[in-house]
């Protein structure tokens, strides 16, 4: 009997390992994975900030379009004719009479400059690059000007030169008279108005 019992135990000792599941490392597919990162909840400021950025972008785009449109209008806007430009500049100059010899020197220089610019724009005479005597000689070839008008321009430019180089101040009445004579010259030598000529 002891032998039978011992054989019985040996039988189960050999059989049990085959029946029990094998112990060992876990398979790869069942290995523990790293925990997934926790996603933060969406910020409540996300939508307002997005709307603010969108409004700023639209505002900048609108401002850029206005600047471009303004620049296009300024480039295409026609300039006023030379006599109107000169008259406007002369009115501004006469509204600011000089009070000191230095101011009078600058005033006379500006008066000569605007008259030279008028000659360049109205008669295509580049008087800005010519001396007073060269300008007087060039005026002789302009049939649109009468002899008194040529003499007036020559005398005016000489007076402006005297104020610049000789520093000889003129009385305020003389300055006002020069400005009025220049205005008369601009009005007399302005091109004819086609609208007035078309009116019966």
């Amino acid at each position: 009997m002891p032998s039978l019992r011992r054989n019985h135990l040996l039988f189960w000792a050999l059989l049990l390992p085959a029946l029990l599941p094998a112990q060992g490392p876990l398979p790869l597919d069942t290995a523990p994975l790293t925990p997934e990162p926790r996603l933060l909840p969406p910020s409540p400021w996300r939508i307002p900030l997005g709307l603010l950025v969108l409004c700023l972008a639209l505002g900048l785009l609108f401002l850029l379009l206005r600047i471009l449109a303004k620049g296009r209008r300024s480039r295409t806007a026609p300039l006023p004719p030379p006599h109107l430009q000169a008259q406007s500049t002369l009115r501004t100059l006469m509204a600011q009479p000089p009070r000191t010899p230095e101011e009078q020197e600058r005033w006379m220089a500006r008066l000569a400059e605007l008259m030279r610019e008028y000659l360049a724009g109205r008669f295509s005479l580049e008087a800005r690059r010519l001396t007073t005597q060269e300008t007087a000689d060039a005026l002789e070839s302009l049939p649109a000007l009468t002899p008194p008008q040529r003499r007036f321009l020559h005398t005016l430019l000489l007076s402006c030169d005297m104020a610049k180089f000789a520093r000889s101040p003129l009385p305020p009445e003389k300055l006002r008279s020069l400005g009025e004579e220049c205005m008369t010259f601009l009005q007399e030598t302005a091109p004819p108005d086609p609208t007035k000529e078309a009116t019966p």
Side-chain angles (χ1 to χ4, degrees):
M1 289 298 288
S3 175
L4 181 61
R5 187 175 182 180
R6 187 168 51 250
N7 290 338
H8 184 70
L9 290 175
L10 181 60
F11 172 77
W12 285 108
L14 294 175
L15 184 62
L16 281 177
L19 296 177
L20 293 175
Q23 299 294 326
L26 293 174
L28 292 177
D29 57 349
T30 61
L33 301 176
T34 56
E36 295 184 0
R38 297 182 60 186
L39 298 178
L40 296 177
S43 173
W45 297 100
R46 183 176 59 180
I47 295 179
L49 286 178
L51 292 176
L52 179 61
V53 171
L54 179 61
C55 291
L56 289 176
L58 291 176
L60 289 176
L61 179 61
F62 177 73
L63 182 62
L64 179 62
L65 291 176
R66 284 197 62 181
I67 292 175
L68 291 176
K70 185 177 180 181
R72 193 178 298 112
R73 285 196 302 268
S74 63
R75 287 194 301 268
T76 58
L79 293 175
H83 68 282
L84 293 182
Q85 293 185 49
Q87 289 175 8
S88 176
T89 305
L90 182 57
R91 290 191 191 96
T92 303
L93 190 65
M94 293 177 65
Q96 302 170 350
R99 297 172 181 168
T100 64
E102 292 78 12
E103 290 182 358
Q104 184 175 123
E105 178 183 343
R106 291 192 294 269
W107 195 92
M108 294 289 288
R110 184 67 187 102
L111 181 63
E113 181 183 4
L114 79 89
M115 295 303 291
R116 290 176 183 273
E117 290 174 352
Y118 172 69
L119 292 175
R122 174 69 177 88
F123 302 105
S124 300
L125 177 65
E126 287 299 329
R128 293 169 292 190
R129 302 177 182 178
L130 303 177
T131 64
T132 298
Q133 186 57 48
E134 291 172 343
T135 302
D137 295 338
L139 290 175
E140 297 297 328
S141 62
L142 289 179
L145 299 180
T146 63
Q149 290 172 342
R150 297 191 192 102
R151 286 194 298 270
F152 164 73
L153 282 175
H154 191 198
T155 303
L156 172 69
L157 295 178
L158 285 176
S159 300
C160 293
D161 289 343
M162 290 293 292
K164 180 178 180 180
F165 298 110
R167 294 181 179 273
S168 55
L170 299 175
E173 305 81 38
K174 179 60 176 177
L175 295 178
R176 185 165 51 252
S177 176
L178 278 178
E180 293 173 353
E181 290 175 359
C182 288
M183 185 65 72
T184 301
F185 174 83
L186 295 176
Q187 293 170 351
E188 290 176 350
T189 58
D193 190 351
T195 59
K196 292 182 179 180
E197 291 183 355
T199 303

